[in-house]
Amino acid sequence: MSSAPDTGAPDAGVPVLSGRQHITKALIAALWTYGGRGTGLLWTASLIGQVGVGAYGQYAMAYAAGAILSAPLDNPFAVRAIRESEDRFVRERSLRVLIALAMIIPGLLLTPFSYIVWFGLVASGGEMIFSALKSRRLRDGHPDVVQRWDTIRQVSAVVLGGAYLYLAPDPSLTIASVLFVIPYLVVAVLAVWTIRGDRPQFPGPPKIAAVLFGENLAVALYLQGDVLLLGFLTDSTTVGYYSIAVVCAWALAQVGAALGSTYHEKLRDGDGRVSSGPPMRHTVILAAAAGSVLFVAGFVALFLPVATEIAAAMMIMSLFVCLRVVIFVDTVILSMQRRDIVRSSAYAIVVVIKLAMVAGLVWAGAVGAAIATVIADIILLTVFTIALRRPVADPIVTPDEIAGGGTDGAVSHPDDEKGPTRR
C-alpha cells in the first residue's frame, strides 16, 4: 500500500501549509483519484463490452444497494475520525473494522445465491474496511496518500477482473466480480493487523451516532437511490447509461473532497470556523475547472459512436460536478462545526425531492435523472450556504463528557446533544 504503513500513531510536527500548497496537495490527491477512476472507467467499458450494458446495470445496482446499507453504518466512524481525540479514534476504528468484516464474510457465503446481495455486501464491506485502514492518513490531512492507496487497490482489482473478461471464452459477471473484490480481502488482512490490541468502542453517544447514521442513510439514498429507482422504473440498460455519466461526474468532483480534507487539521484547531477552511476563490476555481472537463467530454461524445443519451447526461452532469465540489468542501466545514443535524436534515428533505423528480422525469431516462440530480444539488448547496453563514457557537461540553471527566479535550456544539453545559 505504502512505503510508510500506519503505525497507529499520529503525525508529529505537521508543517503549516500555504493556500497554494493546500491546492497542490488536493490536486495530487485528485490526480491519484483520476488514475483510479480512469481505471474504473476501463473496468466499466470492459464489463459493457464483454458481458453487456444490462450486466453492467446489474453491477451498478448491486453497488448502489450495498452503499445504501454500508454508508450509514460507516458515517459515524468517518465523521468522528477527523474530529475526535486520538484515544477515541483508535478504539472506534477497531469497531469499524469488525463491522465491515461482519458484512464481507456473509457476503462471500451468499455468492452462489444472489448477485446483488453478495456483491453489494462484499464490495461495500470492502470499502468500509478500506476506509478504516485509510482513516489515519485522512485524519492527519494526507488525501494524496489516501488516494494513492485507492488507486493501487482499484488498478489491482481491474487487472484481475479485466484479465478474466478478455481471456475467458465466455466470461460471466459473477466470476469477474469475484476477482474484482480480491484486493478487498488483502485490505481486510492489513486492517485487522492494524487494530490488533485496540478495544472496540461505539462511535460516540447513541444520539450522535443515530444522527450521523440517519444523515448518511439520507445521503446514500440521495446518491444511490436514483440508480435503484431508475432501474425499477426502466431497465438495466438505462441504468447503465446514467451510471456512466455518474461515474465520470463523481471522479471529477473528488477534487473538492480532496481540497476539504487537506484542511482537516486547520479546521480542527480552528473549531470549524469557515476562515480556517479553503478560501472560496480556490474552491470555485477548482469547481469550474472540474465541471468544464466533463462538459467538454460530453460534447465530444456527441460526435462519437456512443449513445446520445450518455453524452447529453454527461453534459448536464458537468453542472453537478461544479456544485458537488463546493458541497464537498462545505460538508467538511459543517462536520468540523458538529452541525450533524443540519446536514442530516438537509439530505433527508432533498432526497425526497430528488427521487420524486427522477420518477417524474423517468420518460427522459438517463437525461431526466441527470436533470433531477443537478436541481437537487442546487437546493442542497443553497441550504449548506445558508447554514455556514450562521455564526459558530462557542465550544460547549455535553453532560456525558463532564461525567467522563473530559479527559480527551473533545468539545461539542449545540447539534451534538440536547441540554449541553457551557465550559
Side-chain angles (χ1 to χ4, degrees):
M1 285 293 179
S2 170
S3 57
D6 179 17
T7 61
D11 287 351
V14 179
V16 177
L17 302 180
S18 66
R20 181 174 297 178
Q21 289 173 316
H22 276 285
I23 290 181
T24 300
K25 203 170 188 179
L27 288 175
I28 292 173
L31 287 174
W32 277 109
T33 301
Y34 298 154
R37 299 280 177 159
T39 305
L41 290 176
L42 291 176
W43 171 246
T44 297
S46 298
L47 284 175
I48 293 173
Q50 300 303 111
V51 294
V53 174
Y56 174 71
Q58 294 178 22
Y59 169 87
M61 291 173 67
Y63 228 124
I68 290 173
L69 171 66
S70 67
L73 291 173
D74 192 51
N75 195 51
F77 299 100
V79 171
R80 290 173 59 84
I82 64 174
R83 74 186 190 193
E84 299 300 331
S85 68
E86 175 66 17
D87 182 57
R88 287 184 178 181
F89 161 70
V90 170
R91 285 184 286 161
E92 290 177 11
R93 180 179 61 177
S94 180
L95 181 59
R96 193 178 185 182
V97 169
L98 295 178
I99 291 175
L101 287 175
M103 296 175 63
I104 293 173
I105 295 172
L108 292 173
L109 297 176
L110 291 171
T111 302
F113 305 104
S114 171
Y115 176 82
I116 290 180
V117 173
W118 87 258
F119 184 74
L121 284 173
V122 175
S124 56
E127 281 297 320
M128 185 174 180
I129 206 166
F130 197 16
S131 295
L133 184 65
K134 297 180 296 185
S135 59
R136 163 63 66 200
R137 296 299 184 185
L138 195 59
R139 174 180 170 85
D140 293 339
H142 300 303
D144 48 337
V145 176
V146 169
Q147 296 303 333
R148 182 167 73 243
W149 292 2
D150 263 331
T151 299
I152 293 172
R153 197 281 311 165
Q154 179 81 325
V155 169
S156 301
V158 171
V159 167
L160 289 172
Y164 163 76
L165 286 173
Y166 286 103
L167 295 178
D170 186 22
S172 75
L173 177 62
T174 296
I175 296 178
S177 299
V178 168
L179 293 170
F180 183 82
V181 300
I182 285 178
Y184 283 130
L185 305 183
V186 177
V187 167
V189 173
L190 295 174
V192 170
W193 176 259
T194 298
I195 66 167
R196 66 193 188 283
D198 297 332
R199 180 169 61 87
Q201 176 175 300
F202 193 76
K207 179 178 178 180
I208 301 305
V211 168
L212 294 173
F213 176 90
E215 174 200 2
N216 212 257
L217 177 59
V219 171
L221 289 171
Y222 182 83
L223 301 180
Q224 306 291 346
D226 51 356
V227 173
L228 293 177
L229 180 60
L230 196 63
F232 177 77
L233 296 176
T234 59
D235 52 53
S236 58
T237 299
T238 300
V239 173
Y241 290 158
Y242 176 60
S243 295
I244 291 170
V246 169
V247 167
C248 294
W250 276 110
L252 290 164
Q254 288 301 314
V255 69
L259 178 62
S261 63
T262 64
Y263 282 83
H264 280 170
E265 290 181 306
K266 276 191 173 182
L267 285 164
R268 197 158 57 235
D269 293 340
D271 293 326
R273 293 182 180 85
V274 176
S275 59
S276 301
M280 179 54 70
R281 178 170 58 89
H282 295 170
T283 303
V284 170
I285 290 173
L286 288 179
S292 298
V293 171
L294 188 58
F295 182 85
V296 171
F299 182 77
V300 171
L302 287 173
F303 304 97
L304 298 178
V306 298
T308 303
E309 192 173 351
I310 296 175
M314 289 173 65
M315 294 173 68
I316 294 169
M317 289 294 287
S318 66
L319 295 174
F320 166 84
V321 173
C322 297
L323 296 164
R324 183 50 54 169
V325 168
V326 183
I327 288 173
F328 271 139
V329 172
D330 287 355
T331 299
V332 171
I333 298 173
L334 288 168
S335 297
M336 289 299 189
Q337 293 179 356
R338 300 173 186 264
R339 290 180 170 175
D340 304 329
I341 293 177
V342 170
R343 300 190 316 275
S344 178
S345 301
Y347 271 107
I349 294 171
V350 178
V351 67
V352 176
I353 298 173
K354 178 182 179 180
L355 294 181
M357 288 190 294
V358 170
L361 294 170
V362 68
W363 55 271
V367 173
I371 293 172
T373 298
V374 169
I375 294 174
D377 256 30
I378 290 174
I379 298 172
L380 191 65
L381 179 57
T382 301
V383 174
F384 282 5
T385 300
I386 293 172
L388 286 173
R389 290 183 180 275
R390 292 169 48 200
V392 181
D394 293 332
I396 52 182
V397 181
T398 60
D400 67 295
E401 290 170 334
I402 292 176
T407 56
D408 65 359
V411 296
S412 298
H413 287 275
D415 285 343
D416 277 3
E417 289 285 340
K418 185 176 180 180
T421 302
R422 295 196 176 277
R423 190 184 296 275

